Amino acid sequence: MSTGFLSIDLDALTANWRSLDEMTDVETCAVVKADGYGLGAAKVGRALMKVGVKRFFVAVAEEGATLREALGPNVEICIFAGHMRGDTDMIADMMLTPIINTVGQLTRHLEALPEHPFGVQLDTGMNRLGLEIDEWASVAEIALSQNCRLVMSHLACADTPDHPMNHQQLDQFHLMTDGINVPRSLAATGGILLGSEYHFDMTRPGIGLYGGAPFTNAVPVVKLDLPVIQVRTVEVGETVGYANSWTAERPSKIATLSGGYADGFIRALSGSANLWHGAQAVPLVGRVSMDLITADVTDLPELPGVLSILGPDQTVDELAERAGTIGYEILTSLGSRYQRQFSDG
Ligand SMILES: *Cc1c(COP(=O)(O)O)cnc(C)c1O
């Protein structure tokens, strides 16, 4: 075994979906964009379908087409990017539901595929995707008289529960949608945790399913072990790795492991993360390079064959914090070189 070993616990994933589902009285969908947050959208999607997920969200039509092949015809697959030019055939053939973001997309959709279902995204203040209030006012009647399946918006600050933006967006969403007779959705993972006023008719969790903050009660889903290729002894004053960035201050044993920034250990982890041998921390030393990292194993009682970088002692969020980023980026950066094992049942 010369590549890292990524184990993905699908039972933990479905347990996280159930926990998020139990926090609301409404439909709980699942966001599986970016290949299921890096873990494999087909496997993740099938596991979630088995426990009752009926509606999935991805970023772009190509992701939706791949997911449709994996999941078959009986679930709804919604596309956050909406109905882009050139996507019409894929949307029709693969039965995708575009979430319309602009008046232009609405026109394109209703002209090209008049009977075909769609959703609408409204901008309630994030200023990223969706119709603004005056645009919505001008097309709401037409849109709602067609095959519109849902109206949604997205919160900018939901991971900060007392941020005033949450209430502002909630008020704006009410102002734009009260009285319509189409299902409404505002909450992703963070919004679910804000409480029932944010739940409307369906929720769209992503990161919480995969074990990440802000869903602090999540069960961890991923474990990642890296094989040790070589162990050497270095003397006081010797250096390790590119740019001589680490210098031994005592006679040290240095393990070189298979895994680097091409596998998602962004270079910002250099000198700041730990690997783990059981519950014992093993400091990463020197620079992270493309395929290799080096760790100081001097204090270990025995020389291990593998060290863990993600697992019970270092969660996705803890590793992210050491890299100065968020769990979302750690997960979606996980490379394609690992051996992946999906466990369930
Ligand atoms: C990514 C995304 C989600 C899921 O968000 P999480 O924070 O991962 O739960 C929901 N809705 C939209 C519009 C998104 O872009």
Side-chain angles (χ1 to χ4, degrees):
M1 179 178 86
S2 62
T3 66
F5 191 77
L6 181 66
S7 108
I8 297 161
D9 184 345
L10 296 174
D11 288 332
L13 172 94
T14 53
N16 289 333
W17 181 82
R18 283 204 180 91
S19 306
L20 291 165
D21 186 48
E22 278 162 17
M23 289 178 198
T24 81
D25 297 323
V26 304
E27 178 186 349
T28 304
C29 308
V31 179
V32 297
K33 61 194 179 189
D35 197 23
Y37 287 48
L39 301 186
K43 288 277 207 298
V44 160
R46 276 201 296 273
L48 291 169
M49 192 170 71
K50 276 191 214 150
V51 296
V53 178
K54 298 273 186 308
R55 200 184 317 242
F56 292 86
F57 290 85
V58 292
V60 297
E62 287 79 0
E63 292 180 327
T66 307
L67 189 65
R68 175 64 73 203
E69 281 167 358
L71 300 187
N74 297 325
V75 295
E76 180 152 43
I77 298 174
C78 301
I79 312 297
F80 286 136
H83 194 144
M84 298 285 283
R85 192 185 302 283
D87 284 354
T88 301
D89 287 348
M90 202 182 288
I91 287 169
D93 295 348
M94 305 310 271
M95 298 178 297
L96 307 177
T97 303
I99 307 294
I100 300 298
N101 293 299
T102 66
V103 174
Q105 285 196 348
L106 183 66
T107 308
R108 178 181 299 135
H109 186 77
L110 294 179
E111 283 177 358
L113 301 172
E115 310 292 320
H116 191 94
F118 62 95
V120 173
Q121 171 145 219
L122 303 177
D123 178 50
T124 52
M126 189 176 185
N127 286 311
R128 193 178 65 169
L129 283 180
L131 297 167
E132 307 226 343
I133 191 162
D134 53 331
E135 296 171 314
W136 177 231
S138 68
V139 299
E141 203 179 330
I142 302 169
L144 296 171
S145 70
Q146 306 290 321
N147 196 0
C148 182
R149 295 278 179 89
L150 74 136
V151 173
M152 57 164 276
S153 187
H154 194 50
L155 297 168
C157 303
D159 57 355
T160 310
D162 50 9
H163 200 295
M165 184 68 166
N166 295 321
H167 242 279
Q168 268 176 45
Q169 288 193 264
L170 179 64
D171 290 347
Q172 184 76 358
F173 194 54
H174 275 296
L175 182 69
M176 293 172 81
T177 62
D178 278 355
I180 69 172
N181 55 2
V182 165
R184 295 186 285 179
S185 175
L186 181 60
T189 303
I192 294 174
L193 303 173
L194 292 178
S196 58
E197 14 164 32
Y198 288 84
H199 297 165
F200 292 88
D201 301 301
M202 71 185 73
T203 63
R204 314 181 308 268
I207 192 72
L209 305 173
Y210 308 98
F215 184 30
T216 42
N217 293 333
V219 189
V221 172
V222 291
K223 281 199 299 202
L224 179 53
D225 291 333
L226 303 179
V228 174
I229 301 174
Q230 184 175 11
V231 179
R232 77 181 66 249
T233 304
V234 299
E235 302 302 332
V236 174
E238 283 196 90
T239 57
V240 172
Y242 282 125
N244 290 2
S245 63
W246 185 83
T247 306
E249 287 168 3
R250 58 174 180 170
S252 305
K253 270 189 238 141
I254 300 298
T256 302
L257 296 101
S258 180
Y261 59 75
D263 304 289
F265 307 124
I266 53 179
R267 267 174 93 253
L269 286 168
S270 300
S272 67
N274 287 319
L275 294 161
W276 293 81
H277 178 58
Q280 190 169 351
V282 180
L284 223 151
V285 297
R287 291 260 171 96
V288 173
S289 49
M290 186 184 295
D291 316 299
L292 300 167
I293 54 178
T294 37
D296 181 354
V297 295
T298 315
D299 295 329
L300 290 185
E302 74 246 350
L303 289 178
V306 298
L307 290 172
S308 160
I309 187 154
L310 288 173
D313 293 296
Q314 183 162 264
T315 65
V316 168
D317 292 303
E318 286 162 347
L319 189 65
E321 191 168 328
R322 288 174 180 271
T325 181
I326 54 177
Y328 298 74
E329 191 178 7
I330 294 292
L331 285 175
T332 57
S333 304
L334 291 174
S336 54
R337 266 198 298 211
Y338 303 116
Q339 302 179 59
R340 284 164 189 249
Q341 179 183 294
F342 294 84
S343 59
D344 58 346

